[in-house]
Amino acid sequence: MSIATARSTETPTLAVSTVILTLRPNESGALQLATPLVRRIRAPFEGQWALPGGPLQVNEDLATSASHTLRDTTGLEPRYLEQLYAFGGVDRAGGASAERVVSIVYWALVGADEAELAIDSENVRWFWADELPGLAFDHNQIIEYALGRLRNKLEYSRIAHVFLSESFTLAQLREVYEAVLGRELDPGNFRRMVESTGTVEETGEVLAGTRHRPPKLYRATIQAGETK
């Protein structure tokens, strides 16, 4: 029996992986998207960096599997977790003789406070999301897909607020948009855009500790991922 025939009768392995994204200051102090990766300790792709994940257990639903593998591999328990896509290329596990693996991929967004809780070890490391090495499987393509989803969703939901504290200035919100989109935004146009969407409201307070006129503080009016 040929390899192709043998593979066609086998049941693929189901796995769950997660793309975690946060904003961290780079060497110049500007915010930049970062993602934690784990080093693989077994074949295929032993020694290469990969997304946190693992096989789907028969007694777990998808979201539970994503949450527990994240907690076990990185120590993170994100507040925002959403199913991204299913990836099942025939040869994504490393060649014709490799086990067929279909991955259900989630993506998670974490604020700076959450990101600080990540496991710190030689097998868990933060990478700039736009400056990745060659990863195991098709994980480079998966992260690229997640970045595209984030940038597209930024246009119509309050997802940017996940990266901020409960209250924030418009300048801080604009900094998040600029980091995610990878370009500078005009402050005046940005203010008008945000105010027109109705996704933020004034808290009645101002940011303390500034030398000049303190900026107003705002809060989100809808939950992360919702549209309005």
Side-chain angles (χ1 to χ4, degrees):
M1 181 182 293
S2 68
I3 292 176
T5 302
R7 290 182 63 180
S8 67
T9 62
E10 295 174 356
T11 301
T13 296
L14 290 177
V16 179
S17 299
T18 305
V19 181
I20 306 168
L21 295 169
T22 193
L23 288 172
R24 311 187 93 184
N26 57 25
E27 292 182 357
S28 66
L31 293 180
Q32 190 170 343
L33 283 167
T35 187
L37 300 173
V38 296
R39 194 194 308 271
R40 287 188 58 80
I41 58 175
R42 62 179 65 88
F45 304 106
E46 183 175 357
Q48 286 188 246
W49 295 98
L51 291 169
L56 177 66
Q57 304 300 315
V58 295
N59 61 340
E60 287 184 328
D61 61 34
L62 293 173
T64 300
S65 179
S67 296
H68 107 249
T69 54
L70 270 185
R71 184 174 59 252
D72 292 347
T73 56
T74 68
L76 294 171
E77 298 183 64
R79 295 189 296 264
Y80 183 90
L81 185 68
E82 180 185 346
Q83 191 173 134
L84 179 67
Y85 201 67
F87 294 82
V90 174
D91 297 327
R92 64 186 300 269
S97 61
E99 179 184 22
R100 177 77 188 279
V101 179
V102 175
S103 285
I104 310 301
V105 180
Y106 280 73
W107 63 317
L109 305 180
V110 298
D113 54 340
E114 293 177 281
E116 292 301 319
L117 301 176
I119 293 172
D120 183 15
S121 74
E122 63 178 3
N123 290 324
V124 180
R125 183 185 302 175
W126 287 92
F127 289 81
W128 299 124
D130 288 310
E131 303 172 13
L132 297 172
L135 306 181
F137 304 101
D138 50 1
H139 290 184
N140 288 86
Q141 290 76 20
I142 291 176
I143 293 174
E144 183 178 353
Y145 186 94
L147 291 174
R149 172 73 69 85
L150 172 61
R151 287 162 178 154
N152 178 64
K153 200 161 188 175
L154 202 65
E155 302 295 332
Y156 63 86
S157 77
R158 61 134 280 182
I159 202 168
H161 307 137
V162 175
F163 296 118
L164 295 165
S165 302
E166 184 175 347
S167 60
F168 48 84
T169 67
L170 289 185
Q172 291 170 334
L173 181 59
R174 188 180 78 252
E175 189 178 16
V176 169
Y177 271 74
E178 291 177 335
V180 172
L181 297 175
R183 67 176 189 271
E184 293 185 0
L185 301 173
D186 178 77
N189 289 339
F190 180 78
R191 173 183 289 273
R192 286 189 288 273
M193 182 275 291
V194 170
E195 291 177 344
S196 70
T197 63
T199 57
V200 301
E201 63 184 6
E202 295 182 15
T203 65
E205 301 177 346
V206 296
L207 183 66
T210 59
R211 292 184 178 181
H212 306 291
R213 181 181 177 181
K216 296 178 181 179
L217 287 172
Y218 292 76
R219 58 174 166 252
T221 59
I222 55 177
Q223 296 300 309
E226 290 182 352
T227 59
K228 187 170 183 178

